[in-house]
Amino acid sequence: MKKLIYFLLSLVITSPAMAEVSIFACEPEWAALSRQLGGDKVTVFSATTGLQDPHYIQARPSLISKARRADLLICTGAGLEAAWLPLLQRKSGNPAIQEGASGYFMASNYVRLSDIPTSLDRSQGHVHAAGNPHIQTSPLNIMQVAKALSQRLQDIDSANADFYQQRGDDFTQRWQAAITKWQQQAAQLKGLPVVVQHNSWSYLFDWLKLKKVAVLEAKPGVPPTINDLNKVLNQLKKTPAKLVIHAAYQPSRATDWLVGKTNITKVTLPFTVGGNKQSTDLFSLFDNTIQLLVDATK
Ligand SMILES: [Zn+2]
């Protein structure tokens, strides 16, 4: 009888597992990763779509109200959202997602950043003072972020820690196998000379050993002038390129200009989940990215 009473008491006292963890992701790639790692224990909102420029969006009231109710904020960091995220955090009035809180997660803190500028000059467009924030273009970076994010979910929602651990292990295994497959598919791209419109692809190029020979934007984030473009055209006479890459969210005017003047092939890459019809999750994002690059070299 005593045992039964204790048992009934324990049912009353034990708090129910946390309701679903509400996640506010700044970009679609982190929303997609959250779904991979959190399954049905999380609800996920993405502040931007794959066809929006994550550098510049409006901290509009609908976003603020989503941020107000979030348990976990997942963004790239490294200055990518500097134009809108601080305002959004402040207006949300939500202590859980302020810097330093357990609900504040910046993916770039878990990878090694490249392109760290040696000198800073704001006139150089949206120079990212902390380094190149476009980390989602390499699956190796996503692996690093996944490990940290899985741990964070376990910390925030400890009642479901085993669930997150298991999902994290499962994701790691599938992701590693996919990386091996992608590297095989992309082996022929090694050393390929490429022009980029915006400096978005450093991590992808490091991973697949593509060679960046020119950037169309003289100032990052600022559309190039005809003078800038002519300079690139001259440079390409000495160091020719096979492809010119631009992200689906960007207007392709500069890329199209170059294609009109040369026989370089244009490739529009999705850049993130939702950047095109095929890229519905992280796996299909890289399936599609590699396929587009390989097809363009045929
Ligand atoms: Zn940028």
Side-chain angles (χ1 to χ4, degrees):
M1 188 63 192
K2 222 174 181 180
K3 265 189 186 161
L4 181 64
I5 290 172
Y6 279 132
F7 173 70
L8 290 175
L9 260 178
S10 77
L11 286 184
V12 178
I13 294 165
T14 309
S15 58
M18 188 173 184
E20 288 161 10
V21 178
S22 171
I23 296 179
F24 183 106
C26 286
E27 291 85 25
E29 61 270 25
W30 309 132
L33 185 61
S34 301
R35 289 189 190 101
Q36 290 281 346
L37 299 174
D40 61 3
K41 305 281 187 256
V42 301
T43 53
V44 184
F45 171 78
S46 179
T48 54
T49 72
L51 293 173
Q52 278 179 297
D53 183 343
H55 302 95
Y56 306 110
I57 67 158
Q58 293 279 325
R60 23 176 232 282
S62 61
L63 289 187
I64 293 164
S65 89
K66 290 280 185 191
R68 186 168 293 144
R69 296 192 296 269
D71 303 307
L72 180 56
L73 172 77
I74 305 178
C75 302
T76 297
L80 178 65
E81 304 94 353
W84 54 277
L85 185 57
L87 180 69
L88 187 74
Q89 284 172 284
R90 204 163 56 242
K91 292 221 166 169
S92 78
N94 180 356
I97 60 163
Q98 305 301 319
E99 192 167 354
S102 62
Y104 175 89
F105 183 97
M106 296 293 120
S108 60
N109 287 342
Y110 304 95
V111 305
R112 195 198 179 100
L113 294 179
S114 59
D115 304 334
I116 295 173
T118 45
S119 68
L120 263 188
D121 177 359
R122 282 282 156 195
S123 71
Q124 290 301 303
H126 78 249
V127 171
H128 298 297
N132 192 321
H134 305 299
I135 59 174
Q136 87 286 358
T137 61
S138 164
L140 306 178
N141 287 342
I142 287 176
M143 180 76 101
Q144 295 301 111
V145 176
K147 283 178 189 159
L149 182 55
S150 177
Q151 187 57 56
R152 185 65 66 92
L153 285 168
Q154 294 172 48
D155 295 344
I156 285 187
D157 183 13
S158 53
N160 290 312
D162 289 347
F163 172 86
Y164 296 121
Q165 176 75 51
Q166 201 176 7
R167 267 192 94 91
D169 291 347
D170 176 62
F171 174 77
T172 303
Q173 233 173 51
R174 289 184 296 127
W175 196 245
Q176 190 56 59
I179 288 175
T180 306
K181 177 190 76 179
W182 292 323
Q183 286 176 178
Q184 283 163 0
Q185 291 168 340
Q188 57 183 295
L189 300 174
K190 206 170 167 183
L192 189 76
V194 180
V195 180
V196 298
Q197 181 167 316
H198 178 72
N199 200 10
S200 303
W201 312 99
S202 293
Y203 302 99
L204 177 77
F205 286 14
D206 281 353
W207 172 47
L208 299 178
K209 308 280 182 283
L210 271 66
K211 212 169 96 200
K212 180 175 74 188
V213 294
V215 183
L216 292 180
E217 291 178 353
K219 297 177 178 183
V222 180
T225 63
I226 193 74
N227 197 23
D228 297 332
L229 290 173
N230 274 317
K231 268 190 207 160
V232 173
L233 191 61
N234 272 328
Q235 188 201 324
L236 288 174
K237 284 174 188 154
K238 280 172 270 167
T239 50
K242 291 268 189 240
L243 307 180
V244 53
I245 295 180
H246 88 103
Y249 78 83
Q250 290 186 296
S252 65
R253 223 162 51 91
T255 292
D256 293 336
W257 182 91
L258 185 69
V259 169
K261 299 276 178 196
T262 60
N263 56 2
I264 298 176
T265 306
K266 168 182 171 176
V267 187
T268 304
L269 292 183
F271 188 59
T272 184
V273 174
N276 62 19
K277 270 209 308 281
Q278 292 82 0
S279 302
T280 53
D281 63 15
L282 288 168
F283 289 91
S284 51
L285 167 66
F286 284 96
D287 283 342
N288 184 246
T289 297
I290 306 283
Q291 195 193 340
L292 286 169
L293 287 170
V294 170
D295 285 353
T297 57
K298 276 179 188 157

